[in-house]
Amino acid sequence: MSTSALAPDRRAVLSRRSLWLAYATAGYNLLEGLVAIAAGAAASSTALIGFGLDSFVEVSSAAVLIWQFRSRVPEDRERLALRLIGLSFFALAAWVSFDAVRSLLGGGEADASPVGIGLAVASLIVMPLLVAAKRRTGRELGSATVMADSTQTLLCTYLSAVLLVGLLLNALWGWSWADPIAGLVIAGVAVREGVQAWRGEHCDDCVPVAVADITAGPASGCSDNCCTNRKA
């Protein structure tokens, strides 16, 4: 369905849903970030601290979404919102890379963290549910920002898996080098997602123009404000 074909009432419902999903994401990630950083500091874990910082980036991403959808015309804030999300990815990658390299060069070994392992497992359960809800909403609404935020949440899911592997390798076999390596993986994925958000490439996941809307011409991708300005 073309975003222009959405009834005003349906658009309002989807906008409110986007807002509440952003609130839920911010609340969960704030708690997750606090636990991860506390556990990471106790265990000297680069990966856990990086994961905690990513949780705060996720909070900032949700805050950008809240800022956008509290506007009377959310589409007008689409491009700036995407770039703010992109910058948050870059900041995360820079810090995690620095700390991971420091650890690999002899800055300290990470201890086992049962709390971190439990947190990673919990995130692997919660995050996919949020991703699915955001993607359904973002596609129907045709919002590149909601799609970018869902990718941010999907990244958190991947990072939870990376974190879990790194923490388990360290806890079970004492492979302390696995922790900063997991941190570098987190940083690499964050850079990739930051570039995509900055360029507006999340538009590729937006809702396509409906086939039934043939009077408007052939379908050529999503029709939201971000897509029309993605090369700006």
Side-chain angles (χ1 to χ4, degrees):
M1 174 185 299
S2 169
T3 58
S4 60
L6 280 175
D9 288 348
R10 182 58 179 168
R11 180 178 292 279
V13 168
L14 291 171
S15 294
R16 284 196 299 272
R17 184 184 301 168
S18 298
L19 197 56
W20 282 110
L21 285 170
Y23 282 130
T25 300
Y28 177 82
N29 279 277
L30 182 60
L31 177 62
E32 178 186 72
L34 291 172
V35 172
I37 288 180
S44 300
S45 170
T46 298
L48 254 177
I49 293 175
F51 184 77
L53 290 175
D54 176 74
S55 298
F56 290 131
V57 171
E58 182 78 9
V59 172
S60 71
S61 176
V64 168
L65 200 66
I66 291 167
W67 167 75
Q68 181 188 352
F69 280 93
R70 287 183 67 86
S71 169
R72 291 176 65 102
V73 186
E75 293 82 2
D76 289 347
R77 294 181 172 182
E78 187 99 69
R79 187 63 181 173
L80 178 57
L82 277 171
R83 291 197 165 179
L84 289 173
I85 291 172
L87 288 174
S88 68
F89 275 120
F90 296 144
L92 166 69
W95 191 92
V96 173
S97 296
F98 169 79
D99 202 50
V101 170
R102 181 189 62 80
S103 295
L104 286 171
L105 293 177
E109 294 185 354
D111 298 323
S113 177
V115 173
I117 291 172
L119 181 65
V121 171
S123 293
L124 282 172
I125 296 171
V126 174
M127 291 295 118
L129 298 177
L130 286 172
V131 171
K134 289 179 181 181
R135 294 217 158 170
R136 283 196 303 269
T137 303
R139 286 195 177 104
E140 186 176 354
L141 187 59
S143 170
T145 312
V146 176
M147 294 305 297
D149 187 58
S150 76
T151 301
Q152 175 84 278
T153 307
L154 182 62
L155 171 63
C156 190
T157 305
Y158 294 151
L159 298 189
S160 299
V162 171
L163 175 69
L164 183 59
V165 170
L167 293 179
L168 286 174
L169 288 175
N170 190 25
L172 296 176
W173 291 288
W175 293 357
S176 60
W177 53 264
D179 186 90
I181 292 297
L184 287 175
V185 172
I186 291 173
V189 177
V191 169
R192 176 180 176 273
E193 296 303 329
V195 169
Q196 288 186 344
W198 184 266
R199 292 177 176 173
E201 292 176 10
H202 293 284
C203 295
D204 293 336
D205 290 326
C206 290
V207 62
V209 176
V211 174
D213 193 15
I214 56 176
T215 56
S220 59
C222 65
S223 57
D224 67 342
N225 188 57
C226 169
C227 290
T228 57
N229 296 295
R230 62 181 294 176
K231 293 184 179 179

